[in-house]
Amino acid sequence: MEEMLENVAGARQVFERWMEWEPEEQSWSSYINMELRYKEIDRARNIYGKFVLVHPTVKNWIRFAKFEEKHGNVGGAREVYERAVDFFGEEYMEEGLFIGFAKFEEGQKESERARAIYKYALEKLTKEQCPDLFKSYSIFEKKFGDRRGIEDVIINKRRFKYETEIKQNPLNYDAWFDLLRLLEADGSLDDVRDTYERAIANIPLVASKKGWRRYIYLWINYTLFEELEAEDVDKTREVYKACLEVIPHKKFTFGKIWLMFAQFEIRQKNLDAARKILGTSIGKCPKPKLFKGYIDLELQMREFDRCRKIYEKFLEHDMSNCNTWMKFAELETILGDTDRSRAIFNLAIQQPLLDMPEILWKAYIDFEIEEEEHERVGALYKALLQRTNTLKFGSLLLTMKRALNTRRKLVRFTKKRTVPYNLIHKKKREFSVWKLGESLSRNTGVKKHRTL
């Protein structure tokens, strides 16, 4: 009414007294509009300054900034946006404020400022808080960005997708792998390391090795990243140790981790640490893979006495493994100790339970044939016949005897032809007795079984 009576001062005094009660937003808008009708820009600016403190919402701060922009005060509008960012801080950030700020800078042809605002907001806000901000940034880069900027948008979009999948199911290890590959290709070292730590914190709920397999590959990739990309030896060692502490070795283990840890220590020229790791592994979880890896290490170091001790431990763990007996005997043969090799074979065939006895007997007979101990071969034949008379062993026995007879004839023939016997002895491994026996069995066919 005061305004209708053209008493502007009285109307202003009424509004001032009203504003002391901090009324609703519409009342403040009416006061501002009255001042604008009378071209009182400075008074309206002061009212806006009080208004955004009484009703501190992002919408009202943006209205204040647009007011300044509308009246040609670009610096004032930028200052309002900056005040708003400081006012809300990192704890109460909202994407709408940054979208408005960036679009303002875009309108002022300040594309670099706008890009910096978008990137700052994307770093500070979580993915769930800024879906519209990300869309606005994508549109902005398509309009003003170069190839690198567009690639960044695509990477951020994919990262947002993977983060969403992980949030829905933290045990989705495929999503973790995709995210880590993305970050390793175009991310900072700390960011990749932090993501690995987040990933390995999600331990599988099932107590089965199959359920843990994908999870363990996260640890493997983490160790390789620290060793090859970050080149941090101490951190790599810590990751290996942490992985071995997580695995429930009483239920199952992963030999690959033990062997990789030992190989890592060897690359650091720390042989004692590698031996300690492998010794601990066969003590906690004696798997054939771990024994073989330990034996291979000692063979490379030419520590044959250590190899013997490991073979003995291996056989104490599983005396039915024919392959282990054969490898042990083969080692002694290579080292030239035929007596030890023969003793190992004798001990092996005396075991009550063997997984592949026919292969073990064949290896023992081959060994004696190579040593040209024909009497021992005959004794082995008799011992084998006393143990079994099955068709499978009988076929093997017939083939071996024919092969032995053929070899004897070959030696006598070569002696008559004045070929040096030493040459035949030197090449005896090339003229394998078993191959001769196989060729005879192919020639005789079914008749072999009829004879048997």
Side-chain angles (χ1 to χ4, degrees):
M1 185 179 69
E2 294 290 348
E3 185 180 2
M4 291 176 64
L5 296 174
E6 297 183 357
N7 184 7
V8 179
R12 184 176 293 119
Q13 188 177 5
V14 171
F15 270 120
E16 286 293 338
R17 293 174 61 187
W18 191 9
M19 294 305 110
E20 292 178 0
W21 294 89
E22 298 182 355
E24 299 295 329
E25 295 180 6
Q26 184 59 42
S27 303
W28 291 88
S29 298
S30 299
Y31 189 11
I32 293 169
N33 290 334
M34 187 197 77
E35 297 292 359
L36 291 176
R37 283 196 296 272
Y38 295 100
K39 311 298 182 183
E40 295 289 346
I41 306 300
D42 292 336
R43 288 181 179 275
R45 181 178 292 113
N46 293 333
I47 298 168
Y48 260 122
K50 298 176 182 178
F51 172 47
V52 295
L53 296 178
V54 175
H55 298 284
T57 62
V58 172
K59 179 185 68 174
N60 293 334
W61 280 98
I62 293 176
R63 283 178 59 188
F64 188 9
K66 288 184 176 179
F67 161 79
E68 295 288 6
E69 183 182 4
K70 182 179 179 181
H71 292 88
N73 188 4
V74 176
R78 184 176 290 119
E79 184 180 354
V80 170
Y81 277 118
E82 291 173 353
R83 284 175 56 196
V85 172
D86 293 336
F87 178 82
F88 288 103
E90 295 185 1
E91 187 176 356
Y92 299 101
M93 281 184 175
E94 291 188 24
E95 62 174 350
L97 176 61
F98 292 98
I99 292 174
F101 195 1
K103 287 185 176 180
F104 162 75
E105 296 293 357
E106 183 180 340
Q108 303 304 318
K109 311 298 182 183
E110 295 285 352
S111 58
E112 291 301 324
R113 285 177 176 267
R115 181 176 289 108
I117 293 167
Y118 276 124
K119 290 184 177 181
Y120 174 80
L122 289 171
E123 289 177 2
K124 298 298 181 181
L125 294 172
T126 61
K127 302 301 180 181
E128 295 77 14
Q129 292 177 317
C130 57
D132 295 333
L133 178 68
F134 185 77
K135 292 179 182 178
S136 299
Y137 181 44
S138 301
I139 295 171
F140 169 79
E141 286 293 352
K142 289 177 182 178
K143 290 167 61 177
F144 301 101
D146 53 6
R147 180 177 178 180
R148 179 61 183 174
I150 296 172
E151 288 178 353
D152 289 341
V153 171
I154 295 172
I155 290 172
N156 288 331
K157 187 174 182 180
R158 290 173 59 193
R159 181 173 181 176
F160 177 74
K161 175 187 174 184
Y162 298 144
E163 291 280 7
T164 303
E165 293 178 0
I166 289 169
K167 183 179 180 182
Q168 293 173 353
N169 181 15
L171 299 178
N172 184 358
Y173 299 118
D174 290 333
W176 282 111
F177 282 120
D178 293 335
L179 177 59
L180 288 165
R181 277 195 294 267
L182 181 67
L183 295 178
E184 287 180 8
D186 196 63
S188 65
L189 184 66
D190 294 335
D191 197 11
V192 176
R193 185 173 288 155
D194 180 66
T195 306
Y196 268 117
E197 292 292 338
R198 289 167 50 206
I200 61 178
N202 298 284
I203 301 175
L205 302 177
V206 296
S208 65
K209 187 172 182 178
K210 183 177 180 181
W212 277 63
R213 188 166 284 113
R214 297 290 287 168
Y215 173 70
I216 289 299
Y217 272 102
L218 281 174
W219 284 96
I220 292 174
N221 288 353
Y222 192 7
T223 58
L224 295 176
F225 167 77
E226 291 292 351
E227 183 181 1
L228 302 179
E229 299 296 333
E231 297 181 352
D232 191 336
V233 175
D234 294 333
K235 182 65 176 178
T236 305
R237 187 175 288 111
E238 291 176 5
V239 174
Y240 273 118
K241 291 180 179 179
C243 177
L244 291 173
E245 290 177 359
V246 169
I247 300 173
H249 298 291
K250 292 183 179 180
K251 297 179 180 179
F252 55 84
T253 191
F254 290 88
K256 189 177 184 70
I257 293 292
W258 291 102
L259 294 175
M260 288 183 64
F261 193 9
Q263 291 165 3
F264 163 75
E265 293 293 357
I266 291 172
R267 288 193 292 273
Q268 309 311 316
K269 299 180 180 180
N270 194 351
L271 181 59
D272 292 336
R275 283 173 173 159
K276 185 177 179 180
I277 291 166
L278 291 174
T280 304
S281 70
I282 61 177
K284 283 187 175 182
C285 36
K287 292 181 60 178
K289 184 176 182 180
L290 295 174
F291 280 107
K292 292 175 182 177
Y294 199 176
I295 291 168
D296 289 340
L297 169 64
E298 298 299 351
L299 283 175
Q300 292 174 9
M301 298 295 108
R302 299 298 187 266
E303 294 286 348
F304 301 116
D305 290 335
R306 289 180 177 270
C307 290
R308 290 187 177 109
K309 293 179 181 179
I310 300 169
Y311 268 122
E312 291 172 1
K313 293 288 185 182
F314 196 177
L315 292 172
E316 288 177 8
H317 170 65
D318 183 11
M319 303 193 74
S320 64
N321 192 331
C322 292
N323 190 54
T324 306
W325 287 104
M326 287 166 16
K327 289 291 184 181
F328 193 7
E330 182 182 352
L331 172 65
E332 298 296 350
T333 304
I334 293 172
L335 297 176
D337 196 339
T338 56
D339 292 336
R340 289 178 65 96
S341 181
R342 184 174 292 113
I344 291 169
F345 273 122
N346 280 326
L347 187 60
I349 61 175
Q350 293 173 11
Q351 300 304 314
L353 292 176
L354 294 170
D355 54 0
M356 295 182 293
E358 66 277 7
I359 296 178
L360 179 63
W361 279 91
K362 174 187 175 299
Y364 192 4
I365 294 172
D366 284 343
F367 165 75
E368 296 294 1
I369 291 175
E370 291 292 330
E371 297 299 323
E372 298 185 355
E373 295 287 346
H374 305 309
E375 294 181 359
R376 294 182 182 272
V377 173
L380 286 175
Y381 286 150
K382 293 178 181 179
L384 183 57
L385 284 175
Q386 291 175 359
R387 286 174 177 263
T388 181
N389 57 358
T390 60
L391 180 63
K392 186 175 185 179
F393 280 99
S395 175
L396 172 64
L397 180 58
L398 178 62
T399 304
M400 297 297 294
K401 290 188 70 174
R402 287 180 173 177
L404 182 60
N405 292 333
T406 303
R407 186 182 183 282
R408 288 172 177 171
K409 293 178 181 179
L410 179 61
V411 171
R412 288 197 298 269
F413 176 77
T414 53
K415 285 183 177 180
K416 291 180 181 179
R417 296 292 181 179
T418 67
V419 177
Y421 180 72
N422 291 335
L423 180 62
I424 299 299
H425 184 72
K426 184 178 180 181
K427 298 293 185 179
K428 64 181 179 180
R429 292 187 183 275
E430 298 179 7
F431 293 99
S432 173
V433 176
W434 179 251
K435 290 183 178 180
L436 291 172
E438 285 292 315
S439 64
L440 286 173
S441 65
R442 285 196 296 270
N443 293 333
T444 55
V446 184
K447 293 181 180 179
K448 173 180 60 178
H449 302 293
R450 290 179 181 175
T451 305
L452 180 64

